[in-house]
Amino acid sequence: MSTKVAVVKQLRGISLAGKSDSNHWVMMDGRKETGGEDAAPSPKELLLIALGGCTSMDVLPILKKKRVHIDGFEVRLKANTRDEHPQVFTDIHIEYVFFGDNIPKADVERAIELSTTKYCSISAMLQGSVNLSRAYTIAPAADMTAPGRPPEIPAENLNGSSSL
């Protein structure tokens, strides 16, 4: 069994900085109306980002090991929360988007399956309390967003995706 440690320090109001064993600081904040400065993601947003990062760090090396070439990759997450407190996530949809030509569908599905069932610890921690759904899209390399430009996150459901 491994033990992880973390510390979270108040900066001002509910603006916080936290770090863990890796010694990298992460900023957290809340909206101005709740005492924050609205200068960083909230802890709940970081959980959503952590889920996307965790599964990405599984899927990408699996595809690399299978010698699958991709030109770009992103994970888009959409979460619903309860209206009443605690306002926990009730549903999270994970959309994997692979950019490239001739990407084998079976390899993509297997990589997502392995992340889902074996490797992603964030997904495993959420599995019992949040409805997690997944889908993927394989898009031509020409559709990839410009380098350095953050992807647009559509408010509505993504079209043209394959459900897992």
Side-chain angles (χ1 to χ4, degrees):
M1 176 180 237
S2 172
T3 301
K4 299 287 183 187
V5 297
V7 61
V8 176
K9 295 183 177 192
Q10 179 189 29
L11 301 176
R12 181 176 50 215
I14 60 169
S15 299
L16 308 168
K19 72 175 179 173
S20 61
D21 296 329
S22 65
N23 207 31
H24 299 287
W25 287 98
V26 176
M27 304 308 295
M28 296 169 274
D29 205 354
R31 296 182 315 271
K32 289 185 179 186
E33 61 268 17
T34 62
E37 297 294 325
D38 204 13
S42 71
K44 195 163 38 173
E45 289 171 319
L46 287 176
L47 180 62
L48 201 58
I49 293 167
L51 173 59
C54 184
T55 190
S56 295
M57 288 183 183
D58 298 332
V59 168
L60 291 170
I62 291 167
L63 291 175
K64 184 176 181 179
K65 186 174 181 180
K66 291 178 170 284
R67 300 183 193 278
V68 174
H69 174 78
I70 60 172
D71 293 301
F73 173 77
E74 60 189 53
V75 175
R76 302 171 184 167
L77 299 101
K78 182 177 179 180
N80 295 316
T81 59
R82 289 185 351 168
D83 291 331
E84 63 276 354
H85 290 281
Q87 293 178 324
V88 297
F89 291 133
T90 57
D91 305 278
I92 300 174
H93 180 70
I94 307 166
E95 170 82 16
Y96 301 84
V97 183
F98 301 88
F99 295 96
D101 303 311
N102 303 313
I103 298 174
K105 183 178 172 181
D107 289 342
V108 165
E109 290 175 355
R110 181 65 177 151
I112 294 170
E113 176 189 5
L114 286 170
S115 177
T116 301
T117 60
K118 187 172 183 179
Y119 296 117
C120 182
S121 56
I122 305 294
S123 179
M125 285 186 268
L126 293 172
Q127 191 66 46
S129 59
V130 179
N131 179 32
L132 298 174
S133 61
R134 294 165 183 85
Y136 69 89
T137 300
I138 299 174
D143 291 353
M144 193 168 55
T145 58
R149 181 176 167 219
E152 297 293 324
I153 301 174
E156 69 279 350
N157 288 337
L158 301 170
N159 294 325
S161 61
S162 301
S163 294
L164 295 179

